[in-house]
Amino acid sequence: AQSVTQPDIHITVSEGASLELRCNYSYGATPYLFWYVQSPGQGLQLLLKYFSGDTLVQGIKGFEAEFKRSQSSFNLRKPSVHWSDAAEYFCAVGAESGYSTLTFGKGTMLLVSP
Amino acid sequence: SQTIHQWPATLVQPVGSPLSLECTVEGTSNPNLYWYRQAAGRGLQLLFYSVGIGQISSEVPQNLSASRPQDRQFILSSKKLLLSDSGFYLCAWSLGGPQETQYFGPGTRLLVL
């Protein structure tokens, strides 16, 4: 069965600094990978996804992620963080099981300091 | 465009009382539907998913059940709530296929006292 690990529970970044959130997955075949963001008390919003093609994926709000098969990673990056980026970020992997069920990581809470 | 609604937004219920949470989707037909529970520090746990009316798959054994009486309606229920049922419940929909994005509703916060 597939699994997702987000090793950082909390990360604090200064506003304007760069950001990288880590995600490692476990899955035998080519995975479908997603990053979602959740503001407090809200639902989840898709930032970006990867399922084939270019391994560097561009998303909304200036985020990007790079799929590295050799490292089983799909890290999320942003060159300059804004205070409004403070939220919880979830990495997820989907399986070719016939149904589009997702397995989520436990999330990384991003705090942005002034 | 598609929208997804959940209600109520917040619910406080005593232990042993019944539960009914509703989720409806607009603007699409025959979606896959999902119920997740989110507890602090534990990420999202998939509870149920449905690929069609009356078709429910349960991911984990629990005190909850789900039903899909109409194409775009998904209901989460319990006959008797437990303290451990407290959490943030999210409904989501997607089109078929593992590469499809799941779109989430605003969630229901349930507190069982």
Side-chain angles (χ1 to χ4, degrees), chain A residues 30-52:
Chain A
T30 299
Y32 301 102
L33 294 162
F34 303 78
W35 274 102
Y36 284 85
V37 61
Q38 184 182 31
S39 297
Q42 303 295 317
L44 276 70
Q45 180 184 24
L46 179 73
L47 287 175
L48 47 79
K49 65 180 180 182
Y50 169 82
F51 54 92
S52 68

Side-chain angles (χ1 to χ4, degrees), chain B residues 53-85:
Chain B
I53 296 174
Q55 301 178 60
I56 309 294
S57 295
S58 175
E59 287 292 294
V60 293
Q62 58 211 318
N63 185 43
L64 302 169
S65 62
S67 61
R68 185 171 177 173
Q70 300 180 42
D71 180 46
R72 289 168 288 178
Q73 184 185 31
F74 205 24
I75 297 173
L76 184 69
S77 303
S78 173
K79 292 182 179 177
K80 286 186 178 181
L81 283 169
L82 306 173
L83 288 174
S84 57
D85 292 323

